[in-house]
Amino acid sequence: MFDLNATLGYAPPLDVNNLTKEQTAISIEGLNLYYQQKKALSDITMTIPKGQVTAFIGPSGCGKSTLLRCINRMNDLVEGCRVEGKVRLHGKNIYHPKVDVPTLRRRVGMVFQRPNPFPKSIYENVVYGLRLQGSKESRFLDDAVERSLRAAALWDEVKDRLHENAFGLSGGQQQRLVIARAIAIEPEVLLLDEPTSALDPISTLTIEELINDLKSKYSVVLVTHNMQQAARVSDHTAFIHMGQLVEYSDTDSIFTSPVHKKTEDYITGRYG
């Protein structure tokens, strides 16, 4: 079991089994996902609360990143992928045929495992999405850059280097830049797919502190293979195994008094 003292002082987690409509950011109902004939996710039903951090944990290949990608329909890009069920973002089913997927992905930002800045300046990385939306006014873009870089805890480090190539930043700085790029277009939900797996311990700590700050404005969903990280930064944790949701509750309960033996075995290292 893990020491959860690091989470003391966080806002109390909500009861994910009894969220009101106003408390719910994402509702997943009877979700099944297939790659060709292979079933990768099986009957996932859960609600993800607004303004808190929800972590997906589980062994490699269990489906946690696949589930994350269902929330902004990134799996649409995989040939032969088929989804059944519903994923509702603030009450609206994102798999409805009339949903505009590019608009959805602006509402649900995503950050991947490895930092992936564009081969552009720091400034142009941050405003990339805004320019795609047609924003051209310099004052607006300047304000967005400062706001986003401050929110990503990067402004003080790069404010005098905004027009330098983003590849000149360290790995940890690049990942924070990618987060700034994601939040510049002001999404409602932020998806983080193992955002610190390629970073050193100091950069990892910086990102974890940033995640805690981000939930004041965004609903954050985090995939992590690091259980200590889930314990440190998340309000709620879902344990996924072989494409199934085994257990989902507030993080304290998952790590100190799991209901299912499979969850306890995984957390205590007896899995497999």
Side-chain angles (χ1 to χ4, degrees):
M1 302 299 176
F2 296 110
D3 180 3
L4 297 184
N5 288 336
T7 65
L8 294 178
Y10 284 15
L14 301 169
D15 179 356
V16 291
N17 296 310
N18 293 288
L19 295 179
T20 66
K21 181 179 178 180
E22 291 71 26
Q23 292 171 326
T24 301
I26 300 157
S27 176
I28 300 173
E29 305 167 16
L31 182 71
N32 297 293
L33 182 141
Y34 300 84
Y35 293 125
Q36 305 292 353
Q37 300 306 312
K38 181 184 178 184
K39 195 173 190 179
L41 295 175
S42 182
D43 197 26
I44 304 287
T45 295
M46 64 188 302
T47 53
I48 295 173
K50 288 182 182 177
Q52 298 200 327
V53 179
T54 301
F56 295 167
I57 64 170
S60 296
C62 71
K64 53 189 185 292
S65 289
T66 298
L67 178 57
L68 189 79
R69 286 167 164 79
C70 287
I71 299 172
N72 69 345
R73 293 186 55 172
M74 286 294 289
N75 290 316
D76 289 12
L77 304 174
V78 180
E79 186 176 354
C81 180
R82 176 168 56 90
V83 173
E84 299 172 347
K86 295 178 180 177
V87 178
R88 299 185 187 277
L89 174 63
H90 297 147
K92 304 293 185 181
N93 181 20
I94 68 171
Y95 283 92
H96 190 281
K98 293 186 178 180
V99 166
D100 182 72
V101 177
T103 299
L104 167 69
R105 291 183 185 146
R106 287 195 289 270
R107 296 176 65 194
V108 184
M110 189 161 189
V111 175
F112 298 93
Q113 269 182 281
R114 294 188 175 276
N116 61 339
F118 300 135
K120 300 173 178 286
S121 69
I122 295 167
Y123 184 100
E124 287 300 325
N125 265 272
V126 177
V127 302
Y128 182 81
L130 294 170
R131 289 198 189 280
L132 285 180
Q133 292 179 8
S135 299
K136 297 178 180 179
E137 206 272 311
S138 295
R139 178 63 181 273
F140 172 78
L141 295 176
D142 290 349
D143 289 346
V145 167
E146 181 171 353
R147 168 180 53 79
S148 303
L149 289 172
R150 285 190 183 279
L154 190 57
W155 173 254
D156 289 339
E157 296 170 45
V158 303
K159 61 185 178 182
D160 298 321
R161 306 167 55 188
L162 294 179
H163 299 289
E164 295 180 16
N165 195 296
F167 289 165
L169 299 176
S170 70
Q173 289 174 325
Q174 287 185 13
Q175 192 66 307
R176 281 182 282 151
L177 175 62
V178 171
I179 291 172
R181 186 176 71 200
I183 63 180
I185 55 176
E186 299 189 313
E188 298 160 45
V189 176
L190 189 61
L191 309 179
L192 306 176
D193 191 0
E194 299 196 31
T196 64
S197 63
L199 303 181
D200 62 83
I202 293 176
S203 296
T204 293
L205 179 60
T206 301
I207 296 291
E208 288 181 359
E209 291 172 345
L210 173 57
I211 291 170
N212 187 47
D213 292 339
L214 288 172
K215 72 178 183 180
S216 65
K217 189 169 183 181
Y218 310 100
S219 306
V220 180
V221 187
L222 167 72
V223 164
T224 180
H225 67 280
N226 184 325
M227 287 182 287
Q228 292 94 333
Q229 181 173 84
R232 285 192 296 265
V233 307
S234 70
D235 301 288
H236 308 88
T237 297
F239 172 53
I240 299 165
H241 182 257
M242 297 184 68
Q244 296 183 320
L245 178 61
V246 176
E247 189 166 350
Y248 176 42
S249 186
D250 65 276
T251 296
D252 196 358
S253 296
I254 290 286
F255 282 94
T256 61
S257 53
V259 173
H260 295 277
K261 186 177 186 302
K262 195 176 290 185
T263 310
E264 182 178 358
D265 287 348
Y266 182 72
I267 288 170
T268 57
R270 293 196 296 268
Y271 168 81

